[in-house]
Amino acid sequence: MSGREIAAWVAMAAVVTAPAIARADTPQVKIDIDPEVVQPGQPFRVRIEATTSDGSRIDEVTLPTPAGATRLGESQGPYSSVTLGPGGTVRRSGINATYTFSTTKLGKLALGKITIRVGSTRYVATTPNIRVSRDAPTRQRTNDPFGGMFPNLPGFPGFGDDDMFGSPGEQASVDPSLALPKARGQGLFFFSKLSKTRLITGEPVTFDVLEYVEDDLRDPAMTEIHEASTDGFLSKPLEVRQHPREIGLAEVEGKRYRVKLFRRYRLIPLHAGTLTIGPLQAKVPAQGGRVAQRDSQSIEVVVGDPVAAGRPNGYVVGTVGAYEIGAELSPASIGPGERAVLTVTVRGDGRPPASLVLPEVAGVSFQEPEIRDSEAQTSSGETRVTRTFTMLIDATAPGRHDLGAVQLPSYLIDHGYTTYEARIGTLEVSGVAPADAEAATEVDSPLTLGAPLTTLAGPSAAPSPLPRGLYALPLLAPLAMLIVEIGQRLRRRGRNDVPRRDGELVTHTDPWSVANAVVQRVTGLSTKSTSREEWTEALRAARTEPGEVDEFLKFFDDAEAQRWGGSESAPALQEQAARWRKRWL
Amino acid sequence: MAVARRLQGLTCALLLLGCATEARADLDSHADTQQRLQRGVDALSAGRLDEAVAELETLANRGVVDAHVSFDRGLAYAARLGSPNPHPGDHGQAIAAFEEARLLAHDTALAERADRAADAVRGELAKKRHRDNAPPAYEAEPTLGDRLLDAVPEGAWLALASGLAVLGLLVYLRSRPARHAPLWPLGAGLLAIPCLLTAQVQRERLLHEQPAVLIGSNVRLLDPETRRPSADADPLVEGALVWVRAGNDALLDTRSGDLRGLLPRASVRLLARGTP
C-alpha cells in the first residue's frame, strides 16, 4: 500500500470518525498525513482540507501541537474546487492548512483534534495516530512519484508538486554554502549575495538574489516585485525567470529551505566610492489571507580606482579586465580624395572601453569613430560584449604611411596595468596635391604661454546659489501694498467715510455734514452749487417712499438750524444723523 | 564627581587627538599634492611631457581642485602639442585645463592669463584644421541670454527685482491719499517679475548645469530620441565650451549655444568650479 493510498484511507477514516461534521451542510474535512510511519526526529506533515459546499465561510482551522512533538512549520491558505458529476456542478471552498511536526518519542503519537470554526460555530474532527519507529522506511526524494505521468500542474495541490512527497531532509543533501545564520522572514525570504564587496571601478561582479522557501511550503504567488536598486553600477540582468530555478537545499535555524536563484545580475561599478545595492522587495501571501512584504538585505560595496602608479597614458578609469583587440584597414591604398576605413574590434568580459589610443601619424588623421556593440554567449554561458570602432582615415600627405598600432590600456585585477595592441598596417596614399602636401608637413610650433606655477593656489569656493528665502524679498513690496490697502479700507469703514463726487473722502461726524453728504450721494448734486428746489426735486425723484423725503427735509432744516445756533438738541440730531447715514449712505 | 571630571578630561583629550589627527591628515594631503605638482612642473620643464601630463592628471583624478594645477596641466598639454608626439585630443584638453583655471582663479591676473592661453590654443587648433583641410565645424556662439546671464549674477538680478518692487511701493505709499495714483509704480512692480525670473534661471543654471569642454574632434550632437546625429549637423569644434545638464555613463545631455543634444562622455571634459 503506497503512502498516498494510506493517506486517502486516513482521510476517509477521519470523516467517518467525525460524524458531527460529515453532514452535507457542515464542513467536510480531508486529512492527509505523510508519512504515516516515521523515524524519530523525522519531520512529518499533516495536511487538512476543510471545505463547505453551501458558501459558508470557514474562518479558522486549528490543530494544536501534539504532546511530545515539535511544530516545525505551519501554513494556511484559501482552497476552492469545482467537481462536475451526474448531479451537476459542486463547488467547494474553504481552507487548506498544512502542519509539519517531528517527534523523538517512539510508539504511537496521537495528533489530537482539529477545530474548525465557521462563524460562531465550532466543529471538531478527530485525527488518526501516527507511528514512530526506528524501522520506518526511508524514501528517496523524488520529483514525480508517478514517473512523469503528471507534470507540475499549477492549481492542483499535491499533483506533481515535488514538496508533496519529498519529505524534508531525508536523502536530499543540504548545500552548506547556502546556509544562513538566521532566516529573514517566516516561510519565504530573500537573500542578496555579491561575489565581492571590494571592487575596482569597472570590475564586473555577479549579484544574486536568492529565494528561500521552507521545504514544506508550496511556491507562493508573489506580487509587487521591486527590483534591487543598483545606482552607480552598470547593471545587466543575467537571469530573471518567471519560475526561478532551484539551486539546492539549505538549512537555516534548523529548518530546511529550497533555495532558488530569483535574480542574477552582472554589475559593473561606474565610479569610486561606497555604493549601495538596495533591497529587492516583494509581497507574498501570509496566513489568514493577509499579505506580507519580504525584503532582501542591502549591500554596501567599496569601490576604488586602480592605483595611479604605473598608469599608462590614455588609460580611462573603468577599463578593467582582459580584452582581445584586432584592427583591420581597408583599403590599404587610397587615391586623391579617398578615405580608408579602420575597424577595431574589442572583445572582453569587462566593461567595453569608451575610447582607444590612436597613433599620431603626420599626414594622416583619424575621424571620430562610430561605436557598435554586439553580445554573444560563450560555451560556459557567459555573455561577452564585442565593441566595434569604425572610423574614417583622411590622408593629407602622399606616400607610404606606417600607421603603427591602436592601443587599449587596461587594468587587470591582481596583475596591474597592461596595454593591448593591434597593428593597423601601412596605408599607401597617392596623388595628393603638392600644395596640400607641403602644408601637411608643417608642424605646430611650441606655444609660448609662460612659466608653470609651482605652488598651489588654494581652494576655490564653488559658486553657490543664493538662499531660496531671499526670493521672498521682491514679494514683500506687493504684500505691503496689500496690507496698506486693507488697513485704509478698515479705517474708512470705522469712520463712515463717504467718497465725494470728486473722489476725495470726507468723514461726517456732524448732522449738517451728514445731511449734505446724503443729498450728494442720493442726487449727485451739491447743496452749495444748486438751489434747494433743484436738489429737492431730484431727491423726490430718487426716493419715492411717501413721507420719507419730507422727513429728511425736516432733518436737513434742523441740522442747518443747529449749525447756525438753533435750539434743536444735539443728541437728538446726532441720533437722526446716524439713522439717515445708515438708511441712505 | 571625581569620576565625572576624569571622564570630561578624557573626552577633551580624545577630541583634541581627533582634531590633531585630522589636521595631520590634511597637512599630509596638502604636502603630497604640492610634491606631485612639483614633480609635474619639473617634468614639464625637462620636456618629459607625457610624464608631466600623467602627474597633473593624477592630481585631477584624485579630486584636487586648484587653479594653478589646472593651469599647469594646460601648459603640459599645450607643450605636447608642439612636440613630435602629440596625442589626439591634446588641443581640447589644454583648452579645458585653461578654462578650468580661469573659473577657479582667485585673482584676475591669472584668470586673464588662462583666458589668453585658451585663446592661443584655439588659434593653433584653427591653424591645424586649416592645414588639414578639416571639414567645417560648428562653433557655438553664446546666446544673448547666456551673455546676459554671464554678465549679471543671480544676486544682482534679485537685488534689481527687490529694488523695483520697493521703489514701486514707496511711490504708491506717497500717492496713497489721492484717488488717482500714478500707474508707473505698478509698472515698476511688473518689471520686477522678469528680473525675478531671470534670477531663477541663473539659479537653475548654477544648480543643474556644469561647464565642460569638448576634447574630441568631429563630434556631433546626437538626437536625444534616436541617439544618432542628424544628417545636416556639422561636427562641433574641438575645445568648444558646452554646458552639461545630466547624463549617464555613456552619454551626456548637453547644450551648446542654442543647440541641445547628447554627447559621448568620452568626448567631453567636465570643468571643476571649486569646492562646495
Side-chain angles (χ1 to χ4, degrees), chain B residues 129-152:
Chain B
R129 288 179 59 80
H130 178 70
R131 280 201 307 271
D132 294 348
N133 285 329
Y138 176 75
E139 190 160 9
E141 287 289 322
T143 61
L144 181 63
D146 283 340
R147 290 182 200 279
L148 203 61
L149 291 172
D150 287 340
V152 188

Side-chain angles (χ1 to χ4, degrees), chain A residues 516 519-520 523-531 535:
Chain A
N516 281 285
V519 171
Q520 187 184 7
T523 65
L525 301 173
S526 168
T527 55
K528 292 175 188 168
S529 57
T530 53
S531 67
W535 63 255

Side-chain angles (χ1 to χ4, degrees), chain B residues 115-129:
Chain B
D115 201 26
R116 282 199 303 274
D119 282 348
V121 177
R122 283 196 173 99
E124 283 298 310
L125 179 63
K127 278 194 275 182
K128 180 177 184 300
R129 288 179 59 80

Side-chain angles (χ1 to χ4, degrees), chain B residues 192-207:
Chain B
I193 293 173
C195 296
L196 196 64
L197 292 177
T198 311
Q200 175 66 21
V201 171
Q202 190 78 294
R203 178 188 175 82
E204 289 297 314
R205 269 185 41 156
L206 212 54
L207 283 173

